[in-house]
Amino acid sequence: MQPIFSLSEFFVRTGAQARFYTMGRQVAPCAADTLRAFERGELAWPRPWLGRAQLACVFSLGNEPLIWFLSLPLDEQGMIDPAPRDAFLQRLLETLGRTAQQLNAADTLRVDNLMQDNPLAFTPDLTQRAMLHARASADLNLPASEHLELAESYFSGQLEAQQWQALGLQGLADFAVRHDRDQAESLAKHLTRLPVDVLRPLCHCLEHVTPSATLTEGLIARGEAAASQGDIETFCACVRAVGQGERERVGAWYDALLNDGAACGPDLLAAIAARGWAQLEDAERLPRFIEALAADERTGFATVVRDLALIPRLRLPLLLSLRQASPDSATGRRLAELATPH
């Protein structure tokens, strides 16, 4: 029997029906072929987060469902650093047997104990765990949580705005994943009446999906209203919520914000970098964002740039933008400072 050299091989060999999801930057499905190519060193991780590939493995042993949350370190080009993965696999195979064939429910406890003492394991925040549950349940054609029905009623305006206390985070996540076009339009109409205690966690869920054009417009309008009232937290929540939205509309809003000295602060820049990175795939917007980042001394310029450079679709445009920066620009001065020995 051939030895196992990757997580992909492990799941194939065990017969576990596994689904994979990116975590951290975005809770989204990850094709098995993508994980396989990444582990072979053929592909950079598509959605890196803080220098790591955060991965959820959803599978079952017998009838026991399991989820592994693994945080794999990346090199400077966003490729896998194989040593930690190899060390984890070695411990896993020592625990389960070198061939790890056809595992069953009896192995669940041993696997669970191993993950509790695993340096690659991590615990996602509550929103990302709720979004993973919502996404995986939908992908597996399983029922949503019992909280979805109440969320649907609330966001359609059937309940009073102040009845939000009965809503559960899992219901918001299920709604974000499962809502249809009509529900999106209804939500957009009711956004103005939502208390911030509902709007903000809902926005944190919507960060991980692609909002409809109608919902995007509603979120932009609510974000503008929050900005005019000085509510930076709600404003940034709306900025993040539309990050995966339609490029032309969201990109235009981001452009306006980046050009607005009153709106363009470290909170906005952090929101765009974290959840609106797809909107930075633009030859004019990317250098404008980098310049704004460099001009604000309150931002972690080097950290943000390094993190964005790991995103495969941004790496080359970002490096080109830095290379073409004028020496007397804010970007040029920041780069000069970083190149100066301290």
Side-chain angles (χ1 to χ4, degrees):
M1 181 64 64
Q2 292 294 318
I4 296 175
F5 293 110
S6 70
L7 291 167
S8 302
E9 292 178 41
F10 170 80
F11 286 110
V12 170
R13 190 77 62 84
T14 59
Q17 297 298 310
R19 289 178 179 266
F20 306 105
Y21 298 84
T22 61
M23 304 291 288
R25 186 168 294 280
Q26 185 184 26
V27 179
C30 175
D33 287 345
T34 298
L35 177 60
R36 188 176 301 112
F38 168 68
E39 289 200 83
R40 289 174 177 168
E42 301 168 356
L43 188 71
W45 188 246
R47 301 182 187 94
W49 183 246
L50 304 178
R52 304 182 80 87
Q54 293 194 346
L55 171 71
C57 308
V58 180
F59 63 104
S60 61
L61 295 179
N63 293 321
E64 292 292 328
L66 291 173
I67 301 177
W68 288 354
F69 293 112
L70 297 174
S71 182
L72 305 170
L74 303 173
D75 66 16
E76 293 182 354
Q77 294 186 332
M79 309 293 280
I80 189 171
D81 177 359
R85 185 272 319 268
D86 294 346
F88 167 64
L89 275 175
Q90 181 178 354
R91 292 182 59 213
L92 181 62
L93 296 175
E94 288 173 352
T95 300
L96 299 176
R98 301 302 303 179
T99 58
Q101 280 189 290
Q102 298 302 322
L103 302 182
N104 53 49
D107 298 296
T108 301
L109 182 59
R110 287 187 291 163
V111 171
D112 196 42
N113 289 338
L114 176 69
M115 291 302 294
Q116 292 179 13
D117 186 30
N118 176 11
L120 295 182
F122 76 101
T123 302
D125 64 34
L126 290 176
T127 298
Q128 294 217 355
R129 276 187 277 175
M131 284 301 296
L132 176 67
H133 186 276
R135 176 73 71 183
S137 296
D139 290 346
L140 293 168
N141 295 315
L142 297 174
S145 74
E146 60 186 10
H147 305 287
L148 174 60
E149 185 175 353
L150 185 61
E152 290 177 329
S153 298
Y154 184 83
F155 293 131
S156 65
Q158 298 177 41
L159 301 177
E160 293 295 326
Q162 297 308 316
Q163 291 183 273
W164 61 267
Q165 292 94 337
L167 300 177
L169 177 58
Q170 190 59 58
L172 302 186
D174 286 325
F175 182 86
V177 168
R178 296 179 185 245
H179 72 270
D180 58 24
R181 183 179 298 275
D182 290 342
Q183 290 173 318
E185 291 186 1
S186 180
L187 172 60
K189 292 177 183 177
H190 291 97
L191 278 175
T192 56
R193 79 184 189 105
L194 293 188
V196 295
D197 293 307
V198 177
L199 179 64
R200 290 172 187 167
L202 175 63
C203 284
H204 295 158
C205 292
L206 293 173
E207 297 171 1
H208 303 282
V209 302
T210 301
S212 70
T214 303
L215 184 52
T216 295
E217 289 293 346
L219 289 165
I220 289 175
R222 184 67 194 263
E224 289 284 354
S228 68
Q229 297 165 5
D231 184 353
I232 301 301
E233 185 175 351
T234 300
F235 165 62
C236 287
C238 292
V239 170
R240 292 162 63 106
V242 299
Q244 301 302 311
E246 195 272 321
R247 298 286 181 90
E248 186 173 340
R249 181 63 185 98
V250 177
W253 188 40
Y254 281 9
D255 285 338
L257 296 176
L258 290 171
N259 289 326
D260 183 345
C264 189
D267 294 315
L268 170 68
L269 296 171
I272 293 176
R275 297 292 183 254
W277 80 93
Q279 308 296 336
L280 297 179
E281 294 179 31
D282 182 273
E284 296 181 1
R285 189 172 306 122
L286 178 59
R288 184 181 300 124
F289 172 84
I290 296 300
E291 182 69 5
L293 190 70
D296 196 322
E297 295 292 336
R298 296 167 294 178
T299 65
F301 176 79
T303 300
V304 174
V305 167
R306 190 179 301 114
D307 204 40
L308 289 176
L310 291 179
I311 300 174
R313 294 176 62 90
L314 283 181
R315 181 172 178 79
L316 289 180
L318 179 57
L319 294 177
L320 182 61
S321 178
L322 295 176
R323 190 175 296 119
Q324 294 178 338
S326 170
D328 58 357
S329 66
T331 303
R333 290 193 296 271
R334 280 289 191 115
L335 293 174
E337 290 174 6
L338 293 173
T340 303
H342 295 285

